[in-house]
Amino acid sequence: MEVMERIRARLEKGDSIRYISHLDYVRAIDRAVRRAGIPIAYSEGFHPHARIAFGPALAVGIASVAEFADFELADCLGAGEFTSRMNSVLPAGLSILESRSIPTDWKPLSVAIVAASYRLVIAAPDIEGDAEWRGERGAGRPGSGPGSGARALERLERAVREVLEARSLIVRRSKERYPGGGATGERVEERDVDIRPSLLGLRLARGSGYAGYAATAAGCCVGLDALVRLGGGAGSVATARPDEILSVLAMHGGIARGMELASITRTGLYVSRDGRLLSPMEFEGDMSSPQGTY
């Protein structure tokens, strides 16, 4: 089937649906395309399928404002009409934030995307009782002054610097094996991997109340922005996972007792052009590399 238009969309996967699997996410998009009457092109053969290509799969439990998908259409529709139709039928928690027609010779998302950024929110319900982290005598709860909250923030900032200065960051990964296709893994393989080559940037989040400890209904929290290179294929770097980034910060004394990862949001996916990292929505634009801001 001839492709008349190719539309790239950036979607939001909200917090309310962060626990659905990638397969369920793909099915939701496919159903929405049919319900919206999108003139999607189909592959040929005995089992034709809609020609929709997705970016890197998102792990269960992570929200996102940077999910990308390419839609190949059998008729010209236009990005505006496409977005309007899709958003009218997509389930709650899933929406298209922007879309645009793109050249048909652009590389597929699975090949073009080389990096991702994440916002990690660390909850600190009460670190005041931790003697190692307690600041000046008489200080209030975290975030109220130069007491335990300010002290913890200083330690976290120092841990971030140490992590970025480290030559290697070794973490242990486990993988359960399923001999004979059984449902229960009979043995667990463990191996050490170095995630430092994948970690392109790490910083305390700025804006939205995250310049320091921010008060929430659950206590206090602090945000971290991470930029990671995505691995893939033999000989590639091991992609740093958000929970592993928290682990190496803990190894460098940046995580106090009682602090834990509260939420993760993927905030960006990037392609590389002329040595710069750009949004997949960009043409040969002039967006500077996100690495320069980390």
Side-chain angles (χ1 to χ4, degrees):
M1 182 179 293
E2 184 179 2
V3 175
M4 301 301 295
E5 185 178 21
R6 188 179 179 197
I7 291 180
R8 176 164 293 176
R10 179 170 69 92
L11 300 97
E12 177 180 13
K13 184 180 178 184
D15 190 69
S16 62
I17 60 168
R18 63 192 174 107
Y19 287 107
I20 71 169
S21 68
H22 180 68
L23 181 58
D24 287 335
Y25 162 73
V26 169
R27 288 170 175 164
I29 297 296
D30 186 68
R31 285 194 299 268
V33 164
R34 287 185 273 111
R35 290 181 60 195
I38 303 298
I40 197 74
Y42 283 85
S43 63
E44 299 178 352
F46 291 105
H47 302 285
H49 61 273
R51 297 180 66 166
I52 307 172
F54 295 89
L58 191 66
V60 172
I62 301 179
S64 177
V65 292
E67 296 305 287
F68 291 88
D70 288 344
F71 300 80
E72 296 186 351
L73 308 186
D75 196 5
C76 292
L77 184 63
E81 179 66 16
F82 171 84
T83 299
S84 177
R85 289 193 193 184
M86 288 291 288
N87 280 340
S88 69
V89 297
L90 282 168
L94 189 60
S95 64
I96 293 180
L97 300 177
E98 61 176 323
S99 67
R100 71 184 307 173
S101 296
I102 63 171
T104 57
D105 61 350
W106 273 20
K107 292 180 180 179
L109 291 166
S110 59
V111 174
I113 291 175
V114 298
S117 58
Y118 296 89
R119 167 67 58 86
L120 289 70
V121 176
I122 303 172
D126 187 3
I127 61 174
E128 194 172 11
D130 190 331
E132 182 182 357
W133 288 76
R134 191 163 52 243
E136 299 176 7
R137 181 176 298 179
R141 293 181 58 81
S144 63
S148 56
R151 176 65 173 164
L153 193 60
E154 291 173 3
R155 292 288 295 271
L156 183 56
E157 288 177 324
R158 182 160 62 248
V160 167
R161 290 195 299 270
E162 291 176 358
V163 164
L164 293 177
E165 291 169 358
R167 289 181 174 272
S168 64
L169 297 169
I170 305 299
V171 298
R172 174 152 293 190
R173 289 183 179 173
S174 301
K175 186 173 183 179
E176 206 168 19
R177 294 295 183 183
Y178 301 87
T184 303
E186 295 185 6
R187 63 191 179 95
V188 174
E189 287 188 355
E190 292 188 340
R191 62 190 180 100
D192 291 337
V193 297
D194 183 7
I195 63 171
R196 182 63 188 92
S198 171
L199 187 59
L200 300 177
L202 184 65
R203 66 181 181 187
L204 287 178
R206 303 298 175 183
S208 302
Y210 288 112
Y213 276 87
T216 67
C220 298
C221 62
V222 65
L224 286 169
D225 286 330
L227 179 68
V228 300
R229 178 184 292 117
L230 300 180
S236 65
V237 299
T239 301
R241 301 170 183 170
D243 60 318
E244 292 172 340
I245 295 173
L246 193 67
S247 295
V248 296
L249 284 171
M251 294 176 192
H252 287 79
I255 304 300
R257 186 182 307 132
M259 295 174 71
E260 60 183 15
L261 191 58
S263 68
I264 309 169
T265 301
R266 183 150 72 185
T267 55
L269 288 173
Y270 305 97
V271 299
S272 178
R273 296 198 187 106
D274 300 325
R276 296 178 299 165
L277 294 181
L278 304 175
S279 164
M281 303 298 289
E282 293 292 315
F283 287 109
E284 300 298 326
D286 58 357
M287 182 185 295
S288 60
S289 167
Q291 296 181 57
T293 64
Y294 278 74

